[in-house]
Amino acid sequence: MRALIFAAVIAVSGCSSLNPLDWTHKVEVQQGNYVTADAVAKLKPGMTRAQVRFVLGTPLLTDAFHANRWDYKYSEAKGGKVDPKSDKLLTVYFKGDALDRVEGQSQPAPPPKQLDASAPLAVPAEQVKKP
């Protein structure tokens, strides 16, 4: 009987790599708008709200009390804890319907994707030899 209990404990402890009693799953959560510095560089004073929305996307926060301000907030939570390095706020100010100024921090541009050397290259149909 003791051997059976011991075997069950060993089998169950293999289900978790660090702590066999911690059965919680912690998800990485990204919230808000990921606004890159490249997108912010495209903004020019005098752009309409529609043009700003096209470049940056729909703002996370639009305040009824501050109709001339849009807030683009972004944060990441990894393992249930907010990463303070990823916490950014970009605020866009308007005068009427025209862009006035932009304040705050943007995210760095994501690194370019590397091509996989082992992936086959596409060959045009006219170069394919037919038997």
Side-chain angles (χ1 to χ4, degrees), residues 12-32:
V12 170
S13 67
C15 296
S16 177
S17 61
L18 298 176
N19 185 357
L21 300 177
D22 185 14
W23 295 92
T24 59
H25 177 69
K26 296 187 171 104
V27 180
E28 179 178 329
V29 178
Q30 300 173 350
Q31 292 182 329

Side-chain angles (χ1 to χ4, degrees), residues 11-98:
V12 170
S13 67
C15 296
S16 177
S17 61
L18 298 176
N19 185 357
L21 300 177
D22 185 14
W23 295 92
T24 59
H25 177 69
K26 296 187 171 104
V27 180
E28 179 178 329
V29 178
Q30 300 173 350
Q31 292 182 329
N33 302 83
Y34 193 89
V35 179
T36 64
D38 297 339
V40 174
K42 294 178 184 177
L43 297 177
K44 305 290 182 227
M47 292 176 81
T48 65
R49 290 175 188 256
Q51 290 171 326
V52 172
R53 185 177 285 121
F54 180 76
V55 173
L56 298 181
T58 304
L60 181 66
L61 301 171
T62 53
D63 190 353
F65 297 107
H66 301 98
N68 291 325
R69 183 177 94 192
W70 288 354
D71 292 317
Y72 291 86
K73 176 100 169 115
Y74 181 80
S75 65
E76 288 181 10
K78 296 179 182 177
K81 297 178 184 172
V82 175
D83 182 13
K85 294 180 203 171
S86 71
D87 199 20
K88 307 270 191 225
L89 176 64
L90 182 80
T91 305
V92 179
Y93 294 94
F94 295 94
K95 279 190 180 175
D97 191 42

